[in-house]
Amino acid sequence: MDGVDEVDGINGTEEIRILAIESSCDETAAAVVKDGREVLSNVIYSQIALHTEFGGVVPEIASRKHIEKMNQVVEQALAEAGTALGDITAVAVTYGPGLVGALLVGVSAAKAISFATGIPLVGVHHIEGHISANFIENKDLEPPFVCLVVSGGHSHLVVVKDYGEYEIIGRTRDDAAGEAFDKVARAIGLGYPGGPKIDRVSKEGNPDAIPFPRAKVAESVYDFSFSGLKSAVLNYLNSCEMKGETVNAADVAASFQKAVVDVLVDHSMEAVKEYGYDKFAIAGGVASNSALRGALEQACKENGIAFYHPSPIYCTDNAAMIGVAGYYEYKKGIRHGYDLNAVPNLKLGERL
Ligand code: KG4
Ligand code: ZN
């Protein structure tokens, strides 16, 4: 990483337009974000349909599709924003964590644009992007606050101390929340992607029908564990099959979802109260879950905590969130060189 001591080209009033690129998993995305909080365009090419027949993301196919779609989404993002490359202040790109082959496509595209134009390059952490999605629609939100990050690959409780400064206070010991949604959906025959399907089917089911476990991790009150819950669902399905009983998929989905939501809400509220913050935000694909949003809204209200959440389109993977995070990194003076590489297991708060 190349740091710059003085933030060049910023005089406090000059407009900052970030061209952002995201390709860490199965969405090829580009966006233009003005002054950190105004989304001028947000183009997402979702590969979901391509991966559905395989029951999950196939990394090789994802990379190939990113290569095919990348230039198109970047051009579309610039066109929809009414912005020429010459008006772009910096190019921000997700460089980790994620699928290495998928990340490399976005990183290479961003480096090429930066090299050809001289526009500064800023590498962004994917989870920092998810957290920053909260700044788009909540103009009043400023750190510090506590954020629950729940996506396909992560379940973290994070204290956002300042822009770009994080303390992870809770993490999953095994499966991420989204991963549990996807695996359970597959087991009850709903297919991929599981989260939105369980969300929808649960509305027809009884969340108290099956008493699935709410796992606690002995040594850390804020850590999560979802593998026991996933096994309990699989055991329940097996025992129904052995007894010749028909499974009510909606009841299983609703009861599983309730078990996940209860644990996420409990841990979150304990963390916000214990750390003494009055602001709480959610981020990541699972943050678009309607039951989770409803339960957190209620819990925050009861505890006198202000609740922030992005619209569902900014919860799942997108480049606008990378543009917001990229803006704050750029303002800090963070710059990357042409040796920027994809880092599949990049840690939150780590800058390489
Ligand atoms: O943040 P994201 O788009 O990608 C990662 O960074 O992982 O999250 C994707 C995850 C998937 O596991 C998906 O099933 C889950 O978010 N998800 C949901 C919902 N929408 C997406 N989970 C529960 N309810 C939803 N409505
Ligand atoms: Zn994500």
Side-chain angles (χ1 to χ4, degrees), residues 24 126-127 130 151 284-285 315-317 321:
S24 65
H126 181 73
I127 297 301
H130 273 302
S151 69
C315 286
T316 43
D317 288 349
M321 67 184 195

Side-chain angles (χ1 to χ4, degrees), residues 22-25 94-103 126 154 342-346:
E22 155 66 40
S23 70
S24 65
C25 190
T94 306
Y95 71 112
L99 303 170
V100 67
L103 288 164
H126 181 73
H154 302 267
V343 186
N345 56 358
L346 186 66

Side-chain angles (χ1 to χ4, degrees), residues 43-345:
V43 179
I44 304 167
Y45 171 78
S46 173
Q47 302 182 6
I48 283 178
L50 203 63
H51 299 281
T52 301
E53 65 173 299
F54 303 101
V57 178
V58 183
E60 170 88 13
I61 295 177
S63 310
R64 286 167 182 261
K65 207 61 182 175
H66 285 313
I67 281 278
E68 198 182 311
K69 290 286 169 187
M70 185 53 74
N71 282 2
Q72 197 180 314
V73 298
V74 168
E75 277 177 11
Q76 196 180 332
L78 288 167
E80 285 182 16
T83 303
L85 260 184
D87 300 324
I88 294 294
T89 318
V91 186
V93 63
T94 306
Y95 71 112
L99 303 170
V100 67
L103 288 164
L104 281 170
V105 177
V107 168
S108 303
K111 281 159 78 166
I113 292 169
S114 173
F115 183 71
T117 58
I119 299 168
L121 179 67
V122 180
V124 171
H125 191 289
H126 181 73
I127 297 301
E128 179 163 7
H130 273 302
I131 295 170
S132 303
N134 281 284
F135 298 131
I136 297 170
E137 294 153 299
N138 302 301
K139 308 291 182 203
D140 62 317
L141 179 61
E142 303 263 1
F145 57 90
V146 175
C147 188
L148 171 70
V149 186
V150 268
S151 69
H154 302 267
S155 300
H156 283 343
L157 260 170
V158 180
V159 175
V160 182
K161 295 176 163 178
D162 200 347
Y163 295 106
E165 267 185 56
Y166 309 96
E167 183 189 348
I168 300 174
I169 57 171
R171 65 188 79 228
T172 183
R173 294 299 180 97
D174 35 62
D175 291 352
E179 207 177 337
F181 268 94
D182 294 335
K183 286 177 179 168
V184 167
R186 197 176 307 150
I188 55 176
L190 294 177
Y192 172 83
K197 292 191 171 161
I198 288 195
D199 195 348
R200 204 169 332 113
V201 167
S202 293
K203 295 190 167 62
E204 319 290 322
N206 173 8
D208 301 313
I210 309 145
F212 289 132
R214 273 73 171 150
K216 289 251 175 227
V217 178
E219 315 89 77
S220 168
V221 280
Y222 306 123
D223 279 1
F224 303 103
S225 168
F226 294 110
S227 71
L229 170 60
K230 178 192 66 191
S231 301
V233 175
L234 297 178
N235 289 342
Y236 174 82
L237 296 173
N238 283 339
S239 82
C240 286
E241 199 185 333
M242 283 165 70
K243 288 187 232 155
E245 291 172 7
T246 44
V247 171
N248 182 327
D251 281 353
V252 176
S255 300
F256 158 78
Q257 181 174 270
K258 177 93 187 310
V260 176
V261 167
D262 281 356
V263 169
L264 293 177
V265 173
D266 271 13
H267 286 31
S268 300
M269 289 305 105
E270 269 177 50
V272 190
K273 285 189 275 182
E274 182 64 28
Y275 278 77
Y277 293 105
D278 57 1
K279 286 182 276 185
F280 173 73
I282 52 173
V286 183
S288 59
N289 182 269
S290 58
L292 178 63
R293 290 162 88 96
L296 283 169
E297 183 106 55
Q298 177 73 22
C300 285
K301 204 165 157 196
E302 284 166 9
N303 289 290
I305 296 158
F307 177 45
Y308 297 89
H309 51 83
S311 290
I313 191 66
Y314 295 126
C315 286
T316 43
D317 288 349
N318 66 88
M321 67 184 195
I322 303 302
V324 178
Y327 167 84
Y328 289 105
E329 291 291 280
Y330 177 80
K331 292 260 285 182
K332 272 181 191 284
I334 303 297
R335 305 287 184 273
H336 283 91
Y338 299 131
D339 57 350
L340 178 67
N341 207 341
V343 186
N345 56 358

